[in-house]
Amino acid sequence: YNLAYLDRESGDLVAAAEGLEAARAIAPQSGDVLVALAEVRHALGDSATASTLPRSYVAEHPADLAARVALAT
């Protein structure tokens, strides 16, 4: 997750997406990972995936504001 964050900050969105997918495989219910992956997918132009990633998480964790915001964008 941390390396993916650095990749994202340096502008390497493809590497960030790959790192976040790996983090998601390890921690599939991590809201932070899902939100970050949704943001990276959106930045890569994959709005369809970006909008579906946080959907199930928000259904299970409606109080997670970051996930709700990611779902709304």
Side-chain angles (χ1 to χ4, degrees):
Y1 174 81
N2 292 334
L3 183 57
Y5 179 81
L6 292 174
D7 287 333
R8 179 177 150 192
E9 291 300 308
S10 70
D12 191 349
L13 298 177
V14 173
E18 291 170 357
L20 289 166
E21 288 289 356
R24 182 178 172 213
I26 294 167
Q29 288 300 313
S30 170
D32 292 338
V33 171
L34 289 173
V35 168
L37 183 56
E39 290 171 348
V40 168
R41 289 290 178 200
H42 183 72
L44 286 168
D46 187 1
S47 297
T49 301
S51 67
T52 60
L53 283 170
R55 197 172 305 275
S56 62
Y57 180 80
V58 167
E60 294 178 20
H61 303 91
D64 189 329
L65 183 60
R68 292 175 66 92
V69 169
L71 185 58
T73 57

